[in-house]
């Protein structure tokens, strides 16, 4: 089982719709969760962080965390063509001596006109 | 601050040649990370430094890879000899702590 799993996509949504991106992780002790956005040919950039169960909203973005189900998601409301990118989920995984930030392979989102 | 600066942006080399990638982290960041990104394996951590000291190099694929950080403002990742399977995008990232990552623009390496 991979430490951080994401569906590779592409996830295609029409402009104005809600995009829902999902991520599961294997380490039940994980404490910190992040979403990065990566445009094609560019570097990842941090867009959201979440540490406790529930929802965290920032503009059109909402991160949702459910530690019991080991599940974190990112909702993008009113999706725009400029949201088309790959979204990477990152989770701190405990390695015994330290915690290590581990990335999923990403979900490619396509917002269509 | 200009952000994390990597050079070169693109490198094309022949199998067996030595390749050196360079990174200047954001001033004041104590942590520096080297990642490799491929379609198949995603973003993989190769090595990271804390205050110029290598802390975890368990992700370095083999002895052909080495990394140094001689001072707080400079790091190198060297591949010698290079192989076609090393072709990937290599990212350097820095951070004030262990969690956030501020990525450089990356170096796209092609080994022919």
């Amino acid at each position: 089982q991979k430490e951080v799993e994401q569906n590779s996509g592409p996830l295609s949504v029409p402009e104005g719709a809600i995009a829902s991106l999902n991520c599961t992780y294997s380490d039940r002790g994980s404490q910190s969760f992040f979403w990065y956005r990566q445009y094609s040919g560019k570097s990842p950039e941090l867009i959201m962080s979440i540490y406790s169960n529930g929802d965290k909203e920032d503009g059109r973005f909402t991160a949702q965390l459910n530690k019991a189900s080991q599940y974190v998601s990112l909702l993008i409301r009113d999706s725009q063509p400029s949201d088309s990118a790959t979204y990477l989920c990152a989770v701190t995984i405990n390695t015994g001596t330290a915690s290590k930030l581990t990335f999923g392979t990403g979900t490619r989102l396509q917002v269509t006109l | 601050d200009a952000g994390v600066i990597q050079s070169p942006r693109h490198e094309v080399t022949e199998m067996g040649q030595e390749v050196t990638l360079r990174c200047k982290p954001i001033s004041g960041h104590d942590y520096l990370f080297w990642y490799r990104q491929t379609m198949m394996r995603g973003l993989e951590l190769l090595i990271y430094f804390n205050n110029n000291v290598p802390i975890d190099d368990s992700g370095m694929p083999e002895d052909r890879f080495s990394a140094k950080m001689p001072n707080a403002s400079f790091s190198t990742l060297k591949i010698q000899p290079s192989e076609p399977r090393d072709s990937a995008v290599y990212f350097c990232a820095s951070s004030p702590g262990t969690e956030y990552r501020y990525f450089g623009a990356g170096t796209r390496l092609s080994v022919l």
Side-chain angles (χ1 to χ4, degrees):
Chain A
Q1 181 188 5
K2 289 183 182 177
E3 293 173 313
V4 180
E5 292 209 54
Q6 297 180 255
N7 188 316
S8 61
L11 173 66
S12 185
V13 300
E15 184 177 5
I18 296 175
S20 178
L21 305 162
N22 304 315
C23 172
T24 58
Y25 58 94
S26 61
D27 183 1
R28 190 168 288 279
S30 294
Q31 296 293 323
S32 307
F33 308 85
F34 305 89
W35 284 99
Y36 284 77
R37 178 177 61 201
Q38 186 175 22
Y39 292 113
S40 180
K42 302 295 185 183
S43 57
E45 57 176 329
L46 179 66
I47 55 171
M48 289 286 286
S49 60
I50 187 167
Y51 301 93
S52 54
N53 280 328
D55 294 1
K56 179 181 178 182
E57 188 174 315
D58 184 0
R60 296 186 296 112
F61 297 96
T62 298
Q64 299 177 317
L65 176 60
N66 184 326
K67 290 185 179 180
S69 300
Q70 295 173 237
Y71 177 95
V72 58
S73 64
L74 179 70
L75 301 179
I76 306 174
R77 290 182 300 281
D78 187 24
S79 295
Q80 301 297 310
S82 59
D83 296 325
S84 298
T86 297
Y87 289 80
L88 304 173
C89 173
V91 178
T92 53
I93 303 289
N94 293 312
T95 61
T97 56
S99 63
K100 177 178 164 182
L101 187 65
T102 301
F103 286 83
T105 53
T107 298
R108 189 158 65 93
L109 173 66
Q110 293 178 335
V111 180
T112 58
L113 297 173
Chain B
D1 201 314
V4 177
I5 299 173
Q6 291 187 247
S7 65
R9 290 294 313 278
H10 302 274
E11 177 79 36
V12 180
T13 191
E14 292 187 348
M15 182 174 64
Q17 296 298 306
E18 177 180 296
V19 175
T20 300
L21 311 181
R22 297 173 176 78
C23 176
K24 176 178 167 45
I26 294 173
S27 177
H29 283 189
D30 293 333
Y31 290 84
L32 183 140
F33 306 85
W34 282 101
Y35 287 89
R36 178 173 67 177
Q37 187 174 41
T38 61
M39 289 291 291
M40 290 298 296
R41 301 174 66 91
L43 199 60
E44 300 174 284
L45 176 65
L46 300 176
I47 185 172
Y48 81 90
F49 296 82
N50 178 212
N51 292 322
N52 312 339
V53 177
I55 302 300
D56 183 356
D57 65 354
S58 59
M60 297 284 261
E62 49 201 271
D63 292 345
R64 297 185 297 107
F65 286 69
S66 62
K68 294 182 181 179
M69 192 166 185
N71 57 62
S73 59
F74 184 66
S75 177
T76 59
L77 177 68
K78 186 176 293 187
I79 309 173
Q80 167 63 19
S82 58
E83 297 182 2
R85 60 191 168 122
D86 301 330
S87 298
V89 180
Y90 291 80
F91 287 104
C92 176
S94 70
S95 176
T98 57
E99 295 189 336
Y100 296 113
R101 303 285 184 268
Y102 298 86
F103 286 86
T107 295
R108 183 172 297 275
L109 174 64
S110 297
V111 183
L112 306 177

